Amino acid sequence: MRLLGFRCFVAVALLLGLLLNVPETCNGGKTSAFVRKDEKATDMPLDSDVFKVPSGYNAPQQVHITQGDLVGKAVIVSWVTQDETGSSVVRYWSEKSKEKKVAKGKYTMYRYFNYTSGFIHHCTIRDLEFNTKYYYEVGIGFTTRQFWFITPPEVGPDVPYTFGLIGDLGQSFDSNRTLTHYEMNPRKGQTVLFVGDLSYADNYPNHDNVRWDTWGRFTERSTAYQPWIWTAGNHEIDFAPEIGEKVPFKPYTHRYHVPYRASESTKPFWYSIKRASVHIIVLASYSAYGKYTPQYKWLEAELPKVNRTETPWLIVLLHSPWYNSYNYHYMEGESMRVMYEPWFVQYKVDVVFAGHVHAYERSERVSNVAYNIVNGQCTPVKDQSAPVYITIGDGGNLEGLATNMTEPQPAYSAFREASFGHAIFDVKNRTHAHYSWHRNQDEYSVEADSMWFFNRFWHPVDDSTSYPSK
């Protein structure tokens, strides 16, 4: 009897021990109740009007601009001529002056399997005035086309500025809805922060580079008039040794130039710029980022240079998200997070925008930097020095939406929804910025998700949001 009683005691003790050590369920924020009609994403056919080649002999096409220096006084203008080389000159003038100036650029071209590109021109216009509207012409000598852009205000701590956020766009019918929805938003950005995956040409046999041309013509209606700040995604790699293409990023690097040397980067896949009151760091999820690599050494040197009294807001763009509660690309960004997250917390990054997952998600301010193998602290914790992580890979590409979410929703996830859309990050001053996400199905001004950001350096109070009721 005594032996039986002892065995019962041991069994009960073990059971209690197991119950007491059951991990607490980490229920998170809000999974949107909005149900989007489930339709297959389809690329627009080649004869779609948005892909139309501009009229005129050797007319410039696929015109796009991006920032051309560190502070916003230069613009890189890029375009393609198809019939012959033509001129790489840009003629430009401000609305304040009738004096027309000329900048001279260069052209390049490339071959990819059985495709030969047109003549790809890049020209940097320098020494521009801040906060000024400029007109510019390309195609001088044959068919000339005219566009315009507005330079940013001078860099300073309380300079308001508005950014659009788009990722994983592609060229489907949904892509067209996303771009239209962004253009019609009454609070449309002055510059687009693009978090990677442009044309999705690599989804076609032999990475059909004609789809790079159609994407350039499709997006020209925005990219020719406001800078898009480029981030390289996995669909820009275009590494295809099976067809003899062994140079990664060949189409992307020939077509889309960025001012990487201005921030002392050695490659165009990671770089930084300042714009208004924001310091923007672009990182490369698909270039080496481990210790002692060029990207690692560059970021290690770059972060201490960020002057929060000059540019209070610190934004990071990358492609593969670090915090992701969808079953798509789950934990693909984990090794990069382990490398760089302690720096993001140390330097109080305000927000990290990523793509890759074709859906929308916003995190709470969390970090997971305490784990050191033996301390057992291996789950994210609330951390007001950490960034908010936002996945905005919902541009509308032909691969469709990521609809399969992990359950239960983890505690770090504040809001998530499988819909296509875009976002707006509206900096008000050194302490406040308003953020909103807009799904394609809503009227243009509707905010399906939003929050007020409080700057981590100047106003580091808790800006966690109550979960939306939508």
Side-chain angles (χ1 to χ4, degrees):
M1 286 294 291
R2 287 181 179 178
L3 182 59
L4 180 61
F6 177 74
R7 287 175 175 171
C8 289
F9 171 79
V10 171
V12 170
L14 287 172
L15 180 60
L16 285 172
L18 289 170
L19 290 172
L20 289 172
N21 284 284
V22 170
E24 182 182 353
T25 301
C26 295
N27 292 318
K30 175 72 174 180
T31 298
S32 173
F34 179 82
V35 179
R36 178 188 181 274
K37 186 177 179 182
D38 189 15
E39 297 174 326
K40 182 181 179 181
T42 305
D43 269 354
M44 294 177 284
L46 292 175
D47 60 356
S48 297
D49 59 349
V50 297
F51 298 151
K52 185 178 179 181
V53 177
S55 60
Y57 178 75
N58 212 39
Q61 58 171 276
Q62 305 173 52
V63 180
H64 55 271
I65 62 174
T66 192
Q67 185 161 313
D69 67 351
L70 190 63
V71 298
K73 293 190 69 176
V75 168
I76 300 173
V77 182
S78 304
W79 70 97
V80 175
T81 53
Q82 202 65 49
D83 301 309
E84 58 179 280
T85 306
S87 171
S88 296
V89 166
V90 175
R91 184 184 293 129
Y92 66 100
W93 63 98
S94 77
E95 65 175 356
K96 301 176 183 177
S97 171
K98 294 182 180 179
E99 179 188 359
K100 294 187 177 181
K101 299 180 180 180
V102 169
K104 296 181 179 180
K106 297 180 180 180
Y107 76 90
T108 184
M109 58 190 308
Y110 71 93
R111 291 180 175 85
Y112 191 96
F113 189 54
N114 61 355
Y115 168 91
T116 301
S117 74
F119 303 94
I120 305 168
H121 304 261
H122 301 285
C123 179
T124 302
I125 308 173
R126 305 183 188 278
D127 299 319
L128 300 171
E129 295 181 32
F130 286 117
N131 204 26
T132 300
K133 185 173 184 178
Y134 283 89
Y135 297 91
Y136 69 98
E137 292 177 341
V138 290
I140 297 167
F142 292 104
T143 302
T144 302
R145 298 181 68 200
Q146 181 177 305
F147 305 91
W148 56 264
F149 60 83
I150 299 174
T151 54
E154 186 173 359
V155 171
D158 288 301
V159 180
Y161 203 76
T162 306
F163 296 93
L165 275 302
I166 300 176
D168 299 69
L169 186 58
Q171 47 196 300
S172 72
F173 290 99
D174 286 303
S175 311
N176 194 28
R177 295 184 189 102
T178 297
L179 191 53
T180 300
H181 205 235
Y182 167 69
E183 292 172 312
M184 298 299 291
N185 191 325
R187 293 186 295 278
K188 179 178 70 172
Q190 297 159 276
T191 292
V192 169
L193 304 179
F194 190 84
V195 294
D197 282 2
L198 285 70
S199 71
Y200 286 79
D202 62 341
N203 277 359
Y204 284 82
N206 301 319
H207 297 226
D208 186 1
N209 273 225
V210 169
R211 281 293 179 173
W212 275 103
D213 293 320
T214 54
W215 195 84
R217 294 196 291 269
F218 158 55
T219 56
E220 182 189 84
R221 69 200 205 210
S222 176
T223 60
Y225 297 94
Q226 61 175 219
W228 284 39
I229 308 304
W230 302 108
T231 308
N234 57 299
H235 284 278
E236 279 70 74
I237 298 174
D238 281 306
F239 177 72
E242 69 277 10
I243 56 174
E245 293 297 340
K246 300 178 182 179
V247 179
F249 299 101
K250 184 195 285 187
Y252 173 75
T253 53
H254 278 80
R255 293 171 181 269
Y256 292 91
H257 282 193
V258 297
Y260 67 96
R261 292 187 181 90
S263 57
E264 300 180 355
S265 171
T266 55
K267 293 290 182 180
F269 311 115
W270 57 87
Y271 63 99
S272 74
I273 60 170
K274 302 174 187 178
R275 199 163 183 90
S277 53
V278 183
H279 194 116
I280 299 163
I281 292 177
V282 178
L283 295 180
S285 296
Y286 304 99
S287 298
Y289 49 75
K291 200 165 187 178
Y292 310 123
T293 61
Q295 182 171 197
Y296 179 98
K297 297 298 290 182
W298 175 83
L299 183 59
E300 184 180 38
E302 176 69 13
L303 284 167
K305 296 177 185 177
V306 179
N307 181 357
R308 303 298 279 269
T309 61
E310 177 192 51
T311 50
W313 294 92
L314 179 53
I315 293 175
V316 174
L317 310 180
L318 47 82
H319 187 65
S320 185
W322 294 358
Y323 287 91
N324 164 35
S325 69
Y326 289 81
N327 286 319
Y328 303 84
H329 306 301
Y330 183 64
M331 293 188 76
E332 281 186 24
E334 185 67 3
S335 58
M336 193 181 204
R337 181 195 66 77
V338 171
M339 292 300 303
Y340 295 157
E341 187 182 26
W343 288 350
F344 283 18
V345 174
Q346 177 185 350
Y347 290 98
K348 300 183 186 298
V349 173
D350 290 290
V351 58
V352 177
F353 291 104
H356 202 35
V357 178
H358 300 162
Y360 172 74
E361 185 167 22
R362 173 175 56 84
S363 81
E364 300 289 359
R365 291 195 184 277
V366 295
S367 69
N368 189 9
V369 298
Y371 181 57
N372 65 2
I373 299 178
V374 297
N375 64 9
Q377 299 176 36
C378 53
T379 57
V381 297
K382 188 173 182 179
D383 188 341
Q384 289 303 310
S385 293
V388 171
Y389 294 89
I390 294 177
T391 300
I392 189 77
D394 55 354
N397 64 81
L398 82 164
E399 293 180 349
L401 284 166
T403 56
N404 193 340
M405 307 174 186
T406 61
E407 297 295 346
Q409 185 174 2
Y412 63 74
S413 176
F415 183 86
R416 60 185 185 178
E417 178 178 313
S419 290
F420 292 132
H422 71 275
I424 302 292
F425 193 80
D426 187 9
V427 174
K428 303 296 185 182
N429 51 42
R430 76 181 67 191
T431 59
H432 288 70
H434 184 262
Y435 167 81
S436 56
W437 174 67
H438 304 260
R439 69 167 76 89
N440 286 354
Q441 285 73 22
D442 293 332
E443 290 299 316
Y444 302 120
S445 60
V446 173
E447 299 177 356
D449 181 42
S450 65
M451 70 171 284
W452 278 98
F453 275 78
F454 301 149
N455 186 270
R456 293 300 90 191
F457 184 86
W458 287 100
H459 193 57
V461 300
D462 191 343
D463 56 7
S464 302
T465 57
S466 58
Y467 302 135
S469 58
K470 294 182 179 66

PDB file of all heavy atoms in Angstrom, residues 3 79 149 165 169 246 348 414:
ATOM      1  N   LEU A   3       3.885   1.555  -1.184  1.00  0.00           N
ATOM      2  CA  LEU A   3       4.495   1.690  -2.503  1.00  0.00           C
ATOM      3  C   LEU A   3       3.505   2.255  -3.508  1.00  0.00           C
ATOM      4  O   LEU A   3       3.831   3.147  -4.314  1.00  0.00           O
ATOM      5  CB  LEU A   3       5.013   0.329  -2.977  1.00  0.00           C
ATOM      6  CG  LEU A   3       5.737   0.314  -4.336  1.00  0.00           C
ATOM      7  CD1 LEU A   3       6.941   1.252  -4.305  1.00  0.00           C
ATOM      8  CD2 LEU A   3       6.151  -1.104  -4.692  1.00  0.00           C
ATOM      9  N   TRP A  79      15.865  56.182 -68.789  1.00  0.00           N
ATOM     10  CA  TRP A  79      14.879  55.878 -69.822  1.00  0.00           C
ATOM     11  C   TRP A  79      15.494  54.942 -70.854  1.00  0.00           C
ATOM     12  O   TRP A  79      16.700  54.673 -70.828  1.00  0.00           O
ATOM     13  CB  TRP A  79      14.362  57.166 -70.479  1.00  0.00           C
ATOM     14  CG  TRP A  79      15.356  57.892 -71.352  1.00  0.00           C
ATOM     15  CD1 TRP A  79      15.482  57.820 -72.709  1.00  0.00           C
ATOM     16  CD2 TRP A  79      16.374  58.818 -70.918  1.00  0.00           C
ATOM     17  NE1 TRP A  79      16.498  58.633 -73.147  1.00  0.00           N
ATOM     18  CE2 TRP A  79      17.056  59.260 -72.069  1.00  0.00           C
ATOM     19  CE3 TRP A  79      16.763  59.311 -69.675  1.00  0.00           C
ATOM     20  CZ2 TRP A  79      18.112  60.171 -72.018  1.00  0.00           C
ATOM     21  CZ3 TRP A  79      17.815  60.214 -69.610  1.00  0.00           C
ATOM     22  CH2 TRP A  79      18.478  60.641 -70.760  1.00  0.00           C
ATOM     23  N   PHE A 149       9.242  66.964 -61.882  1.00  0.00           N
ATOM     24  CA  PHE A 149       9.360  66.435 -60.525  1.00  0.00           C
ATOM     25  C   PHE A 149       9.540  67.597 -59.569  1.00  0.00           C
ATOM     26  O   PHE A 149       9.814  68.737 -59.995  1.00  0.00           O
ATOM     27  CB  PHE A 149      10.536  65.456 -60.401  1.00  0.00           C
ATOM     28  CG  PHE A 149      11.879  66.054 -60.730  1.00  0.00           C
ATOM     29  CD1 PHE A 149      12.602  66.783 -59.781  1.00  0.00           C
ATOM     30  CD2 PHE A 149      12.438  65.892 -61.999  1.00  0.00           C
ATOM     31  CE1 PHE A 149      13.837  67.337 -60.078  1.00  0.00           C
ATOM     32  CE2 PHE A 149      13.684  66.443 -62.301  1.00  0.00           C
ATOM     33  CZ  PHE A 149      14.378  67.166 -61.340  1.00  0.00           C
ATOM     34  N   LEU A 165       4.251  53.802 -49.792  1.00  0.00           N
ATOM     35  CA  LEU A 165       4.881  52.490 -49.615  1.00  0.00           C
ATOM     36  C   LEU A 165       4.215  51.477 -50.530  1.00  0.00           C
ATOM     37  O   LEU A 165       2.993  51.278 -50.461  1.00  0.00           O
ATOM     38  CB  LEU A 165       4.747  52.013 -48.171  1.00  0.00           C
ATOM     39  CG  LEU A 165       5.758  52.463 -47.112  1.00  0.00           C
ATOM     40  CD1 LEU A 165       7.172  52.079 -47.505  1.00  0.00           C
ATOM     41  CD2 LEU A 165       5.656  53.926 -46.815  1.00  0.00           C
ATOM     42  N   LEU A 169       5.092  44.548 -56.634  1.00  0.00           N
ATOM     43  CA  LEU A 169       4.026  45.088 -57.481  1.00  0.00           C
ATOM     44  C   LEU A 169       3.659  44.182 -58.648  1.00  0.00           C
ATOM     45  O   LEU A 169       2.499  43.822 -58.821  1.00  0.00           O
ATOM     46  CB  LEU A 169       4.431  46.477 -57.983  1.00  0.00           C
ATOM     47  CG  LEU A 169       3.368  47.251 -58.769  1.00  0.00           C
ATOM     48  CD1 LEU A 169       2.114  47.442 -57.936  1.00  0.00           C
ATOM     49  CD2 LEU A 169       3.915  48.602 -59.217  1.00  0.00           C
ATOM     50  N   LYS A 246      24.594  33.587 -65.435  1.00  0.00           N
ATOM     51  CA  LYS A 246      25.256  33.336 -64.154  1.00  0.00           C
ATOM     52  C   LYS A 246      25.616  34.616 -63.400  1.00  0.00           C
ATOM     53  O   LYS A 246      26.297  34.563 -62.381  1.00  0.00           O
ATOM     54  CB  LYS A 246      26.519  32.509 -64.392  1.00  0.00           C
ATOM     55  CG  LYS A 246      26.234  31.158 -65.046  1.00  0.00           C
ATOM     56  CD  LYS A 246      27.516  30.381 -65.315  1.00  0.00           C
ATOM     57  CE  LYS A 246      27.218  29.065 -66.001  1.00  0.00           C
ATOM     58  NZ  LYS A 246      28.458  28.284 -66.294  1.00  0.00           N
ATOM     59  N   LYS A 348      17.720  52.717 -32.213  1.00  0.00           N
ATOM     60  CA  LYS A 348      16.321  53.136 -32.116  1.00  0.00           C
ATOM     61  C   LYS A 348      15.702  53.430 -33.490  1.00  0.00           C
ATOM     62  O   LYS A 348      15.186  54.520 -33.760  1.00  0.00           O
ATOM     63  CB  LYS A 348      16.194  54.357 -31.200  1.00  0.00           C
ATOM     64  CG  LYS A 348      16.671  54.105 -29.776  1.00  0.00           C
ATOM     65  CD  LYS A 348      16.461  55.314 -28.902  1.00  0.00           C
ATOM     66  CE  LYS A 348      17.083  55.118 -27.521  1.00  0.00           C
ATOM     67  NZ  LYS A 348      16.487  53.994 -26.779  1.00  0.00           N
ATOM     68  N   ALA A 414       0.340  42.986 -34.505  1.00  0.00           N
ATOM     69  CA  ALA A 414      -0.727  43.900 -34.115  1.00  0.00           C
ATOM     70  C   ALA A 414      -1.917  43.836 -35.058  1.00  0.00           C
ATOM     71  O   ALA A 414      -3.070  43.909 -34.631  1.00  0.00           O
ATOM     72  CB  ALA A 414      -0.200  45.337 -34.064  1.00  0.00           C
TER      73      ALA A 414
END
